[in-house]
DNA sequence: CGTGATCTTGAAGGGGGTCAACTGGAGTGG
DNA sequence: CCACTCCAGTTGACCCCCTTCAAGATCACG
């Protein structure tokens, strides 16, 4: 049984892009790959909103690279509770946890109409062994994932709810900037519920924290559109690990 | 400046062990390596209790493999708060986050007199390229680290303090078992403070949760010696993500 | 045996979970 | 176009659990 059977409407598209595009997105110098392999076409999976790219427990014979849209990685607990582990987008590797065990430890679900490139493990390993530069780039991407896990730990280390939300927004903004888009205007693709699960808070608390940050003048909230008005202040709030940060503290620091 | 300068008493010892030992610990079949490389000696770093194996921000030109003792990985926040990211021991890879950026994102500190094998990146990459089996094993180890990050997220997803502590103990027991030791009797190497930082709780709460788990008959606590008396009950408590678990619930399930 | 660190236990206060009600927008069908 | 439903988001009220502060108990080390 192939994954396609699980997702009838999501076709594996004939490829227009090649491995060269993948490598560029992974931060590899384009001149270091030979023209032959660069032109090898690569498959694209289109995934409709709220349908899975892959599901927890299935065998992992490929990793994916976000092409457009957005995904969330979720792990379903033994008692059915769904925990959001990560939000991923264009240029992000998806499904790396299955590299070793050959089974996905979480599900990747599109949170809007999306697509991802399919990197079959067989091809991936072959390329890694024939192109040392690609091997390096992929290794770098993997360790970047490890760093991201560290970021998440940092996120959870903050006890105050607004601090977690502030850090989440800062991370999202940084991700936007890395992608070349404006870091001032965020368009969140995920629901408050997903953010809540990701941050380990109640979804009502996400709302409250956002209005609080808005009242402090850090951001402007309009549903899923977030304007970052005062990046300094937002960063200051995100920085305080333990004690609660308030605008009053900020004024005291300035004075 | 070498790392040795930072740690005068910790010498880089002449090697008695070889890469063969490392590979065995990484789960690689011993027959798949040729006799020549297997005998290449490997350096060992001895680290006294409470001294760092490496510190945050320094350049990472090697990863380490726990040989004996125990380490904690900590990240120091911008406001000086120290967050424990992980506890590592024999057979665990330490410092993988530096693989890509070539700089350590956290410090590794020995929490008792310990030692680790030094795997220079140069040698590591050379071996990976000449021995595909080693490459696979290392890749597996890396993705195992990613899985561990997922575990940590699972840890934090539980809101109730006893649940977090229960999960922590279950994880520790599983790790003991994987290492071939008894999973019933834990000898925690880290302080309550470190556990608290790791779990995102106050250290007093760790104490309280442990006595609570002991009162429920799940464990017996004697300072850092933990006996797991009722693995079922401990697992049941660790399983409940949201709602609070009490022995009463258990009895209802049994009845 | 003394001293400091670690661990435990108690009391008080607050922050966030939970429950509930309201608003607003999207989709549907009349 | 409107009535209706459903779901996402917001806000309010209440209460419990965890943090914080404080003190006592125990352990490690000299």
């Amino acid at each position: 049984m192939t994954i396609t059977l699980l997702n009838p409407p999501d076709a594996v598209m004939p490829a227009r892009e090649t491995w060269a595009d993948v490598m560029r997105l992974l931060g590899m110098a384009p001149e270091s790959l030979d023209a032959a392999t660069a032109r090898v076409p690569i498959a694209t999976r289109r995934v409709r909103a709220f349908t899975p790219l892959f599901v927890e427990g299935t065998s992992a014979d490929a990793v994916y690279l976000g092409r457009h849209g957005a995904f969330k990685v979720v792990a379903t607990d033994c008692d059915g509770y769904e925990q959001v582990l990560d939000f991923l987008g264009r240029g992000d590797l998806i499904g790396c946890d299955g590299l070793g065990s050959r089974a996905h430890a979480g599900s990747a679900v599109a949170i809007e109409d999306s697509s991802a490139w399919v990197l079959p493990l067989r091809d991936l390993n072959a390329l890694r062994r024939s192109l040392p530069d690609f091997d390096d780039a992929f290794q770098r991407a993997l360790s970047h994932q490890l760093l991201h896990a560290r970021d998440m730990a940092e996120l959870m280390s903050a006890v105050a709810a607004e601090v977690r939300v502030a850090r989440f927004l800062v991370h999202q903004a940084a991700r936007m900037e890395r992608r070349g888009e404006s870091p001032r205007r965020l368009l969140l693709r995920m629901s408050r519920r997903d953010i809540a699960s990701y941050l380990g808070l109640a979804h009502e608390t996400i709302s409250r924290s956002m209005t609080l940050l808005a009242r402090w003048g850090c951001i402007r909230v309009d549903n899923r559109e977030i304007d970052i008005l005062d990046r300094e202040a937002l960063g200051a709030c995100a920085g305080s690990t333990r004690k609660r940060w308030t605008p009053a503290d900020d004024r005291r620091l300035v004075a």
Side-chain angles (χ1 to χ4, degrees), chain A:
Chain A
M1 158 165 26
T2 64
I3 314 175
T4 321
L5 284 178
L6 289 172
N7 266 329
D10 306 334
V12 173
M13 305 298 287
R16 246 170 278 125
E17 295 103 341
T18 66
W19 277 92
D21 301 281
V22 168
M23 293 175 183
R24 194 162 23 240
L25 224 62
L26 286 177
M28 183 177 167
E31 59 271 16
S32 60
L33 54 93
D34 59 300
T37 52
R39 266 198 289 276
V40 173
I42 190 164
T44 302
R45 279 262 322 271
R46 287 171 197 286
V47 193
R48 308 275 279 270
F50 310 116
T51 58
L53 180 62
F54 55 79
V55 289
E56 195 171 349
T58 56
S59 76
D61 37 29
V63 295
Y64 301 86
L65 184 68
R67 181 174 168 274
H68 95 277
F71 300 87
K72 63 176 174 181
V73 179
V74 299
T76 318
D77 225 304
C78 45
D79 46 341
Y81 178 73
E82 201 178 66
Q83 158 81 355
V84 175
L85 297 173
D86 210 350
F87 296 108
L88 298 169
R90 162 162 250 255
D92 294 320
L93 279 176
I94 314 173
C96 289
D97 52 6
L99 275 177
S101 58
R102 292 295 159 103
H104 287 297
S107 307
V109 180
I111 51 183
E112 62 181 342
D113 288 350
S114 307
S115 64
W117 285 300
V118 184
L119 317 182
L121 290 192
R122 180 189 310 275
D123 302 358
L124 199 69
N125 286 327
L127 267 172
R128 271 182 42 227
R129 269 153 208 167
S130 63
L131 294 177
D133 279 347
F134 178 70
D135 187 43
D136 286 343
F138 189 72
Q139 203 75 247
R140 216 169 11 245
L142 265 189
S143 92
H144 187 78
Q145 300 262 329
L146 281 173
L147 285 182
H148 185 79
R150 184 195 164 287
D151 282 345
M152 180 151 184
E154 186 197 340
L155 218 58
M156 308 302 271
S157 76
V159 280
E162 323 88 45
V163 179
R164 288 197 187 183
V165 173
R167 287 190 183 181
F168 172 73
L169 293 176
V170 168
H171 281 182
Q172 290 296 319
R175 185 170 281 194
M176 284 296 106
E177 192 161 32
R178 229 179 295 126
R179 212 169 282 156
E181 304 176 42
S182 164
R184 309 228 95 101
R185 182 175 210 80
L186 296 179
L187 196 114
L188 301 178
R189 263 65 175 245
M190 66 292 285
S191 69
R192 297 282 192 270
R193 250 192 166 72
D194 284 337
I195 301 176
S197 167
Y198 180 64
L199 296 181
L201 298 168
H203 67 101
E204 297 96 325
T205 308
I206 306 294
S207 274
R208 272 188 261 267
S209 301
M210 283 198 174
T211 53
L212 202 55
L213 288 172
R215 193 166 306 152
W216 289 348
C218 300
I219 58 175
R220 201 182 56 78
V221 182
D222 176 21
N223 216 300
R224 297 196 180 178
E225 281 181 42
I226 311 282
D227 278 303
I228 297 182
L229 302 177
D230 188 345
R231 212 174 179 184
E232 290 284 320
L234 190 65
C237 175
S240 56
T241 324
R242 294 269 114 182
K243 47 208 142 203
R244 172 164 304 275
W245 179 91
T246 61
D249 290 349
D250 192 37
R251 270 184 236 116
R252 197 183 51 196
L253 285 174
V254 171

